[in-house]
Amino acid sequence: MTSDIRGRGRTAVTAGSESQAALDYYLITSAAGAAGAHTEGVVVEEFALTGDFRTVGLDTAGWTAADGVWWSSAAFGRAMREDPGLRTRVLAVSRPEAEATYRDLRGGELPGETRLRALFHDHQPLPASPPLRLNPPRVPDGFHDTRVYRVLFAGEPHLSRLADVVTLAVEAEDPQIRVVGTGELRTALDVFTWDVRRIGPGTACSVDLTAHLGTTSDEPLGPLLRRLTTVMRHAGAVPVTVERFS
């Protein structure tokens, strides 16, 4: 079982072209799962991060086929996370999928990511608190540092779409089960473990990551947090923030 989890963790870091896109892409549909629903537009987002991967801000821009112009809106970014009705109309996609949809909606070629960043005019600051050290850090022998992160999401993922990064709990579908899946990645020097946790059934969830670092470098953390977040997005949860607890 452990080797299976390790394999999934390794896939989480390296697989998929989505890791090449720095921005997050979504489609906005006219109605969630309704017959005849159509795509209304494209939304692009990016979190601002500290050097240790905590979130300090969010930028959101979008384009709607009805008016054919780009807009930037912190309020829309908040609504994607606070309004369950809107959240059901949000579909996370890869950049190639966003490009294809943009062309289909007669937007032409989707701008490159440098150009898209230039469209971010309404920045949403997020609390930038230092790591919340609930207990003195417990660094196991042989490691330089131990860090604990929580990636918080609005909504709940479709569990069947998490198979690449976690082993699901036997009773994961039970809404009373808190930890629905676990994963692990071991490198030559580092050990990463994570839980996918329900915070409120259907309301919020998190990925809780513990990183035991064998060197002073935290270079593997960024890609791993990014990939875990991407998998959760594509499973239907919308990222809210990344907190560091130690």
Side-chain angles (χ1 to χ4, degrees):
M1 180 63 70
T2 301
S3 61
D4 182 52
I5 298 173
R6 289 178 189 172
R8 293 179 182 186
R10 189 169 298 109
T11 298
V13 179
T14 60
S17 61
E18 175 72 8
S19 62
Q20 302 301 313
L23 304 182
D24 293 339
Y25 296 86
Y26 298 90
L27 304 181
I28 304 298
T29 62
S30 58
H38 61 276
T39 301
E40 295 182 338
V42 177
V43 171
V44 183
E45 292 194 322
E46 183 173 43
F47 282 98
L49 304 175
T50 63
D52 62 348
F53 312 111
R54 291 173 290 121
T55 53
V56 293
L58 174 64
D59 288 292
T60 303
W63 177 90
T64 47
D67 52 24
V69 298
W70 283 91
W71 42 264
S72 179
S73 173
F76 190 86
R78 292 193 300 271
M80 283 176 56
R81 290 150 177 88
E82 297 172 358
D83 182 348
L86 175 59
R87 198 161 59 241
T88 61
R89 296 169 49 208
V90 170
L91 176 66
V93 295
S94 66
R95 178 174 169 91
E97 290 171 314
E99 290 173 333
T101 300
Y102 190 69
R103 285 194 297 269
D104 290 345
L105 294 176
R106 299 184 179 180
E109 292 300 314
L110 184 68
E113 296 202 330
T114 299
R115 172 58 183 150
L116 288 173
R117 283 192 181 90
L119 301 172
F120 294 147
H121 301 303
D122 190 14
H123 181 70
Q124 174 65 58
L126 298 174
S129 58
L132 177 61
R133 300 186 183 277
L134 302 177
N135 297 296
R138 299 176 181 177
V139 182
D141 292 342
F143 294 96
H144 172 78
D145 189 15
T146 292
R147 300 186 188 180
V148 178
Y149 289 86
R150 167 164 285 183
V151 188
L152 181 65
F153 298 85
E156 188 169 315
H158 298 282
L159 298 181
S160 62
R161 301 179 190 175
L162 302 181
D164 283 346
V165 296
V166 300
T167 293
L168 293 175
V170 174
E171 299 179 338
E173 297 288 349
D174 183 345
Q176 300 306 313
I177 297 297
R178 295 304 184 192
V179 177
V180 300
T182 60
E184 182 181 79
L185 169 66
R186 292 177 179 266
T187 69
L189 297 172
D190 308 316
V191 175
F192 306 96
T193 60
W194 55 89
D195 299 330
V196 176
R197 185 182 303 271
R198 285 190 181 98
I199 297 176
T203 302
C205 60
S206 69
V207 173
D208 294 344
L209 170 69
T210 298
H212 299 302
L213 302 177
T215 71
T216 57
S217 173
D218 61 4
E219 183 177 353
L221 265 170
L224 179 55
L225 285 166
R226 170 68 174 166
R227 181 56 180 160
L228 292 173
T229 301
T230 297
V231 171
M232 291 288 286
R233 288 179 51 244
H234 284 262
V238 180
V240 175
T241 189
V242 181
E243 301 171 301
R244 181 181 167 189
F245 293 145
S246 69

